Amino acid sequence: LFSSTTEDNLVESYSIHPHMPRRRISISTVLPTILFIAYFLHLDKKILRDVAFDPASTSSSSSTKSTAPHTPLPLRPNTKTNINATTPKSKLADDCHHIYLDLGSNIGIHSRLLYQPHLYPHALKSKFLFDQQFGPHRHNNDLCVFAFEPNPIHRERHVNLTRYFAQWGWRYHYLPFAVSDSYGNETFYHNGDGHKEEIGFGDHRLIGKGAVEEVVPTIRLVDWIREEVRGRRLPKKVFGKYGGIYGGGDGKPKVVVKMDIESMEYRVLPDLMFSGVLCQEVDFIYGEFHDWPVDYEPHGGRGRGNAGGIGNRIRGELHLKKGEVMNFQRELIKAFDSVNDCRTREFFYFDDETYAHDGVPLIFLDT
C-alpha cells in the first residue's frame, strides 16, 4: 500500500509484518522496476501466444509428449491457408451466361454487331457466326462482352460504348490493355492509318520513321481467363431461347474469342494452347493471323505460377521471316486436331470489316 506525501514527492510504504519498520521509497526508484516487470509479463504472454498459434515454433526435441487427442490449432492470418477464405473471390464474369472476348477491339464494332445486328444489315457473315455460336434467339442480358483495346485514341469511344450499352442493362467491359503472354509494358506504333481507325496499331513499325511510338500495358491473357472467367458464377435465370426448335446449339454457357491483335497472336495463341486454357475454357476462337516477320527474343516476363503468385516466366526466342510465318500458322493450328477432349476444335479464319467506321451513331436516352 502506498500513500503519497505532499512535500518531497515521496511515497511511504509499510509491510504486512507488524515488526518491519516503515521505509521511504522514491518514485524514481520504484517506477523503472514496475515497468521492467510489466515488460516481461507482456513478452511472456506474447511468446505463449505465438507457441499456441504456431505448432512449428515448439521444440521438436522435447522428450515429453502429450497423450491427449490432437486438437487443430488456429492458424496465423499470414499463413498460406486462411481459415476465413471460405467465400470465393468475385469475378468479372460472374452471372454471365455467354462470354465474348474481343481481343483487339479497335472501335468496338464487333460488340455492336453482336448486341444490335438489326442496325447492320450488311454484316451477314458476323450475324451468321453469332447466331451459330450464341443462338439466333439469344438475349443480350445473357451476354457479357470484354473488349481489350490498348490504343488510347479509342479510349473515349469505349467509355461511351460502356455507358451506351448500360442503358439497357447490357454488360460491356472495356479493358485498356494489350493481351500478351506476360505482364509488363510494350512499345506499340501508330502507323499513320487514322483514316482506317488505326487498325494497324501494334508492335510492328509498318511505315518506317513515320511511325509514332506508344508504350502500352500488357497482361497475360491466360492468367486473366483463369482468374476472371474460370469457375465463374452462372446466372440463376437465362432470358434467351436456346436449343430445340430455336437452334443455336443447346444453350450451354459459351466462351467465344475474337482475336485481331496485329501479330501478338504469335505470343498469345501458343500460351493459350500449351497452358491448357484454350481447351479447358474456350468454346470457339476466330480471327486473323498477320503475315509479318516475327522476331521475339527470350523474355523473362512476369506471369503467375501454379500457386497463383506472380513469378518469372521465360519465353523462348522465335524468329520467323515473312515466308515462314504462314507455315508456322498452319503447324500451330494442326495442334488443335491432335488434342483429345478439347472444347476448341479449330481456329476459324474470319474478319468482318463491313462497318469498319461503324457509321451508326450512339443515341443516349438521357439526352
Side-chain angles (χ1 to χ4, degrees):
L1 298 173
F2 297 95
S3 60
S4 62
T5 64
T6 58
E7 295 181 355
D8 53 0
N9 195 29
L10 298 175
V11 295
E12 186 177 40
S13 67
Y14 66 91
S15 169
I16 60 174
H17 195 283
H19 300 295
M20 181 173 287
R22 297 188 180 192
R23 303 177 61 184
R24 287 175 174 266
I25 304 174
S26 169
I27 288 179
S28 61
T29 304
V30 174
L31 188 58
T33 304
I34 295 174
L35 293 176
F36 187 76
I37 294 172
Y39 171 76
F40 262 89
L41 289 174
H42 170 75
L43 183 64
D44 198 40
K45 288 180 179 179
K46 183 177 183 301
I47 293 173
L48 289 174
R49 184 175 66 251
D50 286 352
V51 170
F53 274 73
D54 189 359
S57 64
T58 57
S59 173
S60 60
S61 61
S62 174
S63 58
T64 305
K65 296 184 179 180
S66 172
T67 57
H70 174 69
T71 302
L73 296 173
L75 299 171
R76 292 182 181 219
N78 62 347
T79 54
K80 292 182 179 179
T81 304
N82 192 340
I83 57 175
N84 296 319
T86 55
T87 303
K89 171 183 174 294
S90 61
K91 300 174 182 291
L92 285 177
D94 278 346
D95 299 317
C96 301
H97 186 70
H98 293 313
I99 292 175
Y100 182 60
L101 302 185
D102 190 356
L103 311 181
S105 180
N106 195 254
I107 63 170
I109 183 60
H110 290 85
S111 299
R112 295 204 74 184
L113 298 180
L114 172 63
Y115 277 136
Q116 300 173 302
H118 60 284
L119 298 179
Y120 304 91
H122 300 297
L124 298 177
K125 293 181 179 180
S126 288
K127 183 181 186 306
F128 175 80
L129 186 147
F130 289 139
D131 286 351
Q132 185 183 53
Q133 295 302 317
F134 297 122
H137 300 282
R138 62 186 178 272
H139 195 289
N140 287 343
N141 286 352
D142 296 335
L143 296 164
C144 289
V145 174
F146 296 93
F148 291 83
E149 177 49 56
N151 194 339
I153 286 178
H154 299 316
R155 181 173 292 124
E156 183 178 359
R157 161 77 175 185
H158 285 280
V159 171
N160 288 333
L161 279 175
T162 303
R163 187 163 66 93
Y164 173 73
F165 289 134
Q167 296 177 117
W168 297 280
W170 304 342
R171 287 164 289 183
Y172 181 87
H173 302 268
Y174 164 48
L175 298 142
F177 309 105
V179 292
S180 182
D181 60 351
S182 63
Y183 299 89
N185 296 292
E186 192 79 23
T187 300
F188 275 30
Y189 298 92
H190 299 278
N191 285 299
D193 54 355
H195 61 292
K196 295 182 178 180
E197 307 293 356
E198 293 210 5
I199 58 174
F201 182 73
D203 68 341
H204 278 62
R205 189 192 295 268
L206 301 179
I207 60 171
K209 294 182 179 180
V212 178
E213 293 185 0
E214 182 86 49
V215 177
V216 301
T218 64
I219 64 167
R220 188 187 180 204
L221 182 63
V222 162
D223 288 340
W224 188 89
I225 294 176
R226 284 171 172 165
E227 294 170 4
E228 303 298 348
V229 175
R230 173 182 288 177
R232 71 188 186 278
R233 181 181 63 244
L234 294 175
K236 295 181 180 179
K237 181 179 179 181
V238 175
F239 296 88
K241 299 176 181 179
Y242 304 102
I245 62 173
Y246 301 107
D250 53 12
K252 291 182 179 179
K254 277 195 172 183
V255 176
V256 174
V257 176
K258 187 218 85 180
M259 183 179 292
D260 188 0
I261 50 179
E262 309 306 306
S263 86
M264 292 290 281
E265 60 267 19
Y266 299 109
R267 300 186 187 187
V268 173
L269 192 55
D271 198 29
L272 283 171
M273 293 174 64
F274 297 112
S275 66
V277 167
L278 191 67
C279 283
Q280 296 166 3
E281 307 298 332
V282 176
D283 296 280
F284 184 77
I285 185 170
Y286 72 98
E288 282 189 290
F289 275 98
H290 295 81
D291 191 17
W292 299 337
V294 174
D295 191 22
Y296 295 147
E297 298 294 335
H299 175 62
R302 295 169 66 226
R304 300 188 188 276
N306 294 332
I310 296 179
N312 290 328
R313 299 181 60 255
I314 305 298
R315 181 208 307 137
E317 62 183 346
L318 179 62
H319 304 283
L320 298 172
K321 298 178 182 180
K322 186 171 183 178
E324 299 172 330
V325 174
M326 295 302 293
N327 290 331
F328 181 80
Q329 295 174 19
R330 285 190 288 267
E331 294 303 318
L332 194 61
I333 299 306
K334 283 181 181 178
F336 282 91
D337 297 327
S338 64
V339 180
N340 294 324
D341 301 322
C342 185
R343 287 167 59 174
T344 310
R345 299 309 309 165
E346 64 175 334
F347 185 101
F348 185 62
Y349 289 85
F350 176 76
D351 184 35
D352 189 350
E353 296 183 2
T354 309
Y355 293 90
H357 300 285
D358 194 345
V360 180
L362 303 178
I363 299 176
F364 293 93
L365 303 179
D366 56 355
T367 58

